[in-house]
Amino acid sequence: MPWIEANGAELYYVMEGPETDKPLILIHELGGSVGSWDRAMPLLQNRRTVRWDWRGAGQSEKIRSELNVEVLVADLKSLLDGLGIFGAVDIAGTALGGGVALAFAARHPARVRRLVVSSPAIGGDSGIEDMLRRRADEVEKTGMRTQVDISLNRSYLPKYRTDKTAFQTYRSRWIANDPGSYASHNRMLAAMDERENLDKITSPTLVIAGEDDSLLPPIDMQEIASRIPTSQFMELKTGHFAAVNTPIIWANEALRFFDSE
């Protein structure tokens, strides 16, 4: 069954791969969905993967209220519990999905074995808060279409649109987002500040920066990595949405880290 009641919300999820393998949980980016991982999935086919549309995104239940990261952390815990996954898992997150992954690892360290985050958005005076609030206001007034190219010109650069079908599919899914829920996600990130929680993370963590990421540049990602006692830092030839922009490069580095001991 692709939907599950978790923490009071209907969440859409996809679980694939061999049942005996260590679970790998995939957390998509702001404006994304389970489909954001499609081009990386062929490289992950030997892993047990769980990906889901977080509350308000994709095919999950939409929201009409303000949101905070504590809710998404509780959603993930409830999802794992509902699927009978109680041991430590590997987690990968992109952009805001990376921020949610870090927040989960800080609050539930025993539930995380290894962690890979690319361009994690954690809030805390990152310089994009005003842009996020303006975007939230605009999509509520005019819908998603008027903002799609403004947003993707920052996060899905033309140089990474070599697969035209993949880009058009991503753009169409982005436009199809629910404006009210998307606005809540933006305001949530604008109000977040996970900086003081990073030192609570105990799992080995790989922080990936994109050399072409103007939203959250490598110097900011180095600062995040420096606050996590068990972290490694890596800069890759990718953009803000590493797993979307360069799925092969992202998957190769993520799997290398997950499979190391």
Side-chain angles (χ1 to χ4, degrees):
M1 183 173 65
W3 280 271
I4 188 170
E5 178 87 10
N7 193 34
E10 286 292 333
L11 302 181
Y12 179 80
Y13 72 96
V14 179
M15 185 159 55
E16 301 169 288
E19 294 185 10
T20 56
D21 208 334
K22 298 181 292 290
L24 169 57
I25 314 304
L26 303 171
I27 311 180
H28 64 75
E29 70 286 359
L30 175 60
S33 69
V34 297
S36 297
W37 302 98
D38 283 351
R39 290 198 296 155
M41 292 311 296
L43 289 89
L44 305 178
Q45 61 184 343
N46 293 326
R47 297 295 305 266
R48 182 66 160 172
T49 58
V50 178
R51 43 186 169 142
W52 93 101
D53 293 336
W54 65 40
R55 181 186 297 243
Q59 298 185 67
S60 288
E61 184 175 349
K62 304 308 179 282
I63 52 179
R64 289 294 179 269
S65 60
E66 295 307 306
L67 190 66
N68 61 58
V69 73
E70 303 294 345
V71 174
L72 295 187
V73 167
D75 286 353
L76 175 53
K77 181 180 182 299
S78 183
L79 172 68
L80 294 176
D81 291 348
L83 295 176
I85 301 173
F86 297 105
V89 298
D90 291 334
I91 300 182
T94 294
L96 181 51
V100 174
L102 291 172
F104 182 85
R107 289 155 181 79
H108 303 285
R111 302 291 294 265
V112 182
R113 191 188 77 94
R114 282 181 171 258
L115 183 63
V116 173
V117 291
S118 57
S119 295
I122 65 169
D125 194 27
S126 62
I128 63 173
E129 289 77 19
D130 287 343
M131 178 274 288
L132 293 167
R133 295 186 184 99
R134 286 195 304 271
R135 186 165 62 183
D137 292 342
E138 286 300 317
V139 297
E140 284 182 326
K141 292 175 184 176
T142 62
M144 298 296 295
R145 183 176 292 274
T146 59
Q147 290 292 305
V148 61
D149 293 322
I150 297 171
S151 181
L152 297 189
N153 283 341
R154 301 186 189 105
S155 56
Y156 202 145
L157 300 178
K159 68 185 292 185
Y160 296 119
R161 301 175 189 178
T162 53
D163 186 328
K164 303 301 183 184
T165 300
F167 173 72
Q168 187 56 52
T169 298
Y170 190 94
R171 185 178 184 275
S172 297
R173 281 200 308 258
W174 201 97
I175 293 172
N177 270 296
D178 173 63
S181 297
Y182 183 75
S184 292
H185 296 150
N186 277 264
R187 293 188 181 112
M188 180 193 80
L189 176 54
M192 273 176 65
D193 188 351
E194 282 296 304
R195 289 176 294 181
E196 299 307 313
N197 292 320
L198 296 176
D199 63 359
K200 301 173 185 175
I201 297 171
T202 59
S203 56
T205 301
L206 176 62
V207 179
I208 296 174
E211 67 174 31
D212 291 322
D213 188 351
S214 61
L215 285 169
L216 296 174
I219 190 171
D220 293 345
M221 299 302 97
Q222 285 182 307
E223 171 63 22
I224 289 175
S226 72
R227 291 173 176 262
I228 302 172
T230 54
S231 75
Q232 300 177 31
F233 173 78
M234 175 180 291
E235 184 173 336
L236 296 179
K237 293 182 182 299
T238 190
H240 185 57
F241 295 156
V244 174
N245 297 159
T246 56
I248 294 175
I249 292 173
W250 173 85
N252 284 337
E253 295 301 336
L255 288 174
R256 184 177 293 115
F257 183 76
F258 285 132
D259 293 338
S260 63
E261 296 296 341

